[in-house]
Amino acid sequence: MLFRTVAASLSLVITLVRLHLQPSQELSRADSLSLAVIIIAYVSTLVVGLRLRRGRGGLSDAWVQVVGDVVIATGLVYLSGGADSPLTFLYSLSVIGAAVVLDRRGALWAAAASVLCFATLVVGARFLGNAPGGLMPPTRVMFVLGSNALALVLIAVLAGYLSRQLSVAGGALSAREADLQRLGRLQQQILSSMPSGLVTCDAGRRITYVNPAGSLILQVDAGQVVGTDLEALLPGVLGLAPRSPRSELVVGRGLKRRILGLSVTPLDGETDALLMVFQDLTQLRRMEDDLKRADRLASLGALSAQLAHELRNPLASMRGSAQLLAQDAQDATGQKLTNILIREADRLARLVEDFLRFARPPTPVLQQVALASLLTETVDMLRVDPLARDVRVEMATPEAMSVSVDPDQLRQVLINLVRNAFQAAGPRGHVKVALTRAENEARIRIWDSGGGITEEMMGHLFEPFFTTRDGGTGLGLSTAHSIIRAHGGAIRVRSNPEEGTEFVVGLPL
Ligand code: ADP
């Protein structure tokens, strides 16, 4: 179409120049014919061009084009000298055009039509005696016709062959492209739906890809970390041997701390590029720790409960005896010493009672409790506790929810946790209490600004008698733990010096 437009425009320019130069103002027959041919060329190009643009061009348009080309070529050949015309090559362009749009069959038909038109033109002009270039001898006519016909058929065969090859190659290429695209989509789907995190990096240890699960586990935005240093995202990962079986890596701090089960593999085909696949083991490890702790506590609890029980009776006798002694004591020293005996026996008895409450917690008497009011009442009551002096106590408006719990036992848990928070926060410290609903559980959050629980303490926190405080019994958290477990819930802790400490009590809704 482009060729045709150029040819038509050239012819138009030539015709106009000739018209301008000739003395008479009248159009000759040849000029009108050449203008008609030019107009046909423009109009057919425009019509088919528009149809193609609208996506409506079809096989019939291709035929119209080819026939139009042959007609235009014939017109131009006729105008430029018939058999002697220097423009007979235009027929070959029509044939090549037909091969491109209609394959070999179209090319052969175009060649046949061209030969027919050219023959008609030459022979017709001869009979009518109006050949623009004058008459030529019959042998020369035969020669011109024969050579042109042969050339056109050969061009048709060759162009048809090339066009077939081109379309076969093009077809194979688009099939490959479609395959590649399908494969790319599949790969993308697999990467984004796999539950494991996946990170790749190049030889310079710059991150090249993070899949959605990876950004979720590491709590980063994939777009922002691509191109950054791998060590910043996964510190210590380069120390792990490539191809080693799964290793564990701890990343992040505080609330973002994650334990990853990770394997590092060199990326095939790219020297030094690495592929890291990982799972978040934080929850699993936490559950394992919980189980181990519960196990340890269970055996320790059974043994110590027996012991405490055995202590209770002799202790009561000792106190009774001390009381009798106190009544009979004559002098002040005897009185003082027996009072010490009674006081210490009371303290021991309280400890034993506390311990037995932890070791053999009474079965919870469950009832539906409005958690928000229970929490508010307990916190309000604790605001006047001497430990709360100089501590800023805040309580976010709790979400209303009803939970099946033993209110007395839960109150005991809250008192233990909130008083611990007061102690940890200390004067000018800050304590926040909140109640939220999440994943089928009610979550009571008790946060303090202290943040002094070390990794080492973390493992012993819920063990009975573990205390770091003067005068502490180390039974507060263990009692809270056993009560909450008896309710089917769990207590989780997070702590670091910058972000403070948070105890989260989860109760099933
Ligand atoms: P006690 O308060 O008698 O020491 P607990 O069982 O309540 O016993 O607490 C055990 C230990 O856990 C405490 O001695 C303290 O070291 C630590 N602990 C408990 N709560 C907190 C807290 N909110 N912040 C820092 N440490 C805490």
Side-chain angles (χ1 to χ4, degrees):
M1 284 165 68
L2 183 71
F3 261 121
R4 194 183 313 125
T5 313
V6 172
S9 305
L10 265 177
S11 310
L12 185 64
V13 171
I14 293 169
T15 313
L16 289 178
V17 169
R18 216 179 45 214
L19 280 177
H20 185 70
L21 292 181
Q22 73 186 17
S24 94
Q25 289 301 303
E26 277 193 21
L27 277 182
S28 69
R29 213 163 65 91
D31 290 330
S32 331
L33 201 63
S34 90
L35 282 176
V37 168
I38 291 164
I39 288 169
I40 291 175
Y42 276 135
V43 170
S44 78
T45 308
L46 195 72
V47 170
V48 178
L50 283 176
R51 282 177 62 78
L52 278 178
R53 232 201 136 118
R54 292 197 184 139
R56 281 198 273 159
L59 200 63
S60 51
D61 294 81
W63 280 110
V64 169
Q65 287 285 284
V66 172
V67 171
D69 279 351
V70 174
V71 170
I72 292 164
T74 310
L76 290 173
V77 167
Y78 171 72
L79 290 169
S80 57
D84 272 339
S85 164
L87 296 183
T88 44
F89 75 89
L90 287 177
Y91 284 122
S92 27
L93 290 186
S94 315
V95 172
I96 294 173
V100 171
V101 292
L102 290 171
D103 222 331
R104 191 166 50 196
R105 207 163 62 96
L108 284 170
W109 275 112
S114 300
V115 170
L116 199 70
C117 286
F118 188 53
T120 315
L121 189 96
V122 173
V123 176
R126 194 177 166 75
F127 278 114
L128 295 173
N130 64 347
L135 284 181
M136 62 166 62
T139 46
R140 183 151 157 69
V141 170
M142 292 298 284
F143 174 74
V144 170
L145 270 180
S147 59
N148 271 298
L150 188 64
L152 286 176
V153 171
L154 282 179
I155 288 173
V157 172
L158 203 64
Y161 170 76
L162 288 177
S163 153
R164 165 92 26 112
Q165 291 298 313
L166 204 68
S167 68
V168 168
L173 201 70
S174 7
R176 286 269 158 78
E177 237 166 55
D179 278 354
L180 257 176
Q181 274 176 3
R182 204 171 320 120
L183 218 74
R185 274 199 304 274
L186 185 70
Q187 178 194 342
Q188 203 55 43
Q189 257 170 8
I190 293 174
L191 288 179
S192 37
S193 61
M194 66 192 269
S196 302
L198 185 143
V199 172
T200 57
C201 75
D202 60 14
R205 303 300 181 238
R206 306 247 143 226
I207 295 166
T208 47
Y209 177 76
V210 181
N211 75 339
S215 14
L216 203 71
I217 294 174
L218 299 170
Q219 296 174 46
V220 291
D221 181 351
Q224 281 177 359
V225 289
V226 167
T228 60
D229 191 19
L230 177 68
E231 269 288 320
L233 185 68
L234 298 169
V237 70
L238 296 176
L240 306 175
R243 289 191 206 281
S244 62
R246 254 178 34 157
S247 328
E248 271 188 25
L249 191 73
V250 180
V251 296
R253 304 194 56 209
L255 300 183
K256 286 192 172 177
R257 186 173 181 275
R258 291 276 171 279
I259 304 171
L260 305 182
L262 181 136
S263 62
V264 184
T265 332
L267 257 185
D268 269 343
E270 285 187 57
T271 40
D272 290 340
L274 295 174
L275 166 81
M276 276 121 316
V277 178
F278 50 89
Q279 287 84 33
D280 187 0
L281 302 182
T282 321
Q283 198 72 20
L284 195 73
R285 290 284 171 272
R286 200 177 286 154
M287 273 157 61
E288 272 177 13
D289 286 351
D290 269 2
L291 270 179
K292 274 192 218 153
R293 192 179 306 129
D295 222 30
R296 238 183 1 239
L297 288 186
S299 42
L300 199 69
L303 190 78
S304 334
Q306 191 64 35
L307 200 68
H309 192 66
E310 294 300 324
L311 277 177
R312 217 160 33 173
N313 291 341
L315 203 60
S317 325
M318 277 162 69
R319 189 188 190 280
S321 315
Q323 227 166 355
L324 285 178
L325 276 177
Q327 279 165 11
D328 295 345
Q330 303 298 329
D331 55 345
T333 322
Q335 194 82 44
K336 198 173 139 201
L337 289 177
T338 43
N339 278 343
I340 292 178
L341 266 178
I342 293 170
R343 201 181 63 225
E344 290 305 302
D346 280 346
R347 205 168 73 82
L348 264 177
R350 258 199 322 274
L351 185 65
V352 168
E353 285 313 318
D354 275 356
F355 180 71
L356 280 174
R357 205 174 311 128
F358 148 72
R360 288 191 192 142
T363 325
V365 183
L366 299 182
Q367 63 189 76
Q368 284 298 323
V369 171
L371 212 49
S373 16
L374 187 133
L375 189 64
T376 316
E377 275 165 25
T378 314
V379 172
D380 285 345
M381 177 189 87
L382 286 169
R383 280 180 203 272
V384 291
D385 191 294
L387 288 173
R389 201 179 304 138
D390 291 337
V391 176
R392 184 149 60 97
V393 185
E394 258 181 70
M395 166 122 194
T397 318
E399 280 183 49
M401 61 192 95
S402 165
V403 190
S404 170
V405 288
D406 181 324
D408 291 333
Q409 291 191 3
L410 187 62
R411 197 172 292 115
Q412 182 62 51
V413 171
L414 296 175
I415 292 173
N416 291 357
L417 295 179
V418 176
R419 292 191 83 231
N420 275 352
F422 288 161
Q423 274 175 294
R428 283 188 296 282
H430 190 181
V431 169
K432 279 196 261 187
V433 182
L435 169 65
T436 52
R437 177 196 296 264
E439 292 169 24
N440 276 338
E441 65 171 20
R443 285 192 183 157
I444 305 169
R445 301 175 176 278
I446 297 151
W447 175 88
D448 68 70
S449 54
I453 304 182
T454 60
E455 278 293 310
E456 200 193 339
M457 282 167 72
M458 210 49 110
H460 303 286
L461 224 48
F462 295 100
E463 283 173 7
F465 305 118
F466 172 78
T467 179
T468 58
R469 291 176 187 144
D470 280 346
T473 59
L475 285 174
L477 285 184
S478 39
T479 309
H481 188 263
S482 63
I483 291 178
I484 294 302
R485 274 189 76 85
H487 280 78
I491 305 187
R492 295 180 282 271
V493 199
R494 295 191 193 115
S495 178
N496 74 59
E498 292 97 52
E499 291 167 63
T501 302
E502 186 176 55
F503 280 77
V504 181
V505 178
L507 287 167
L509 279 172

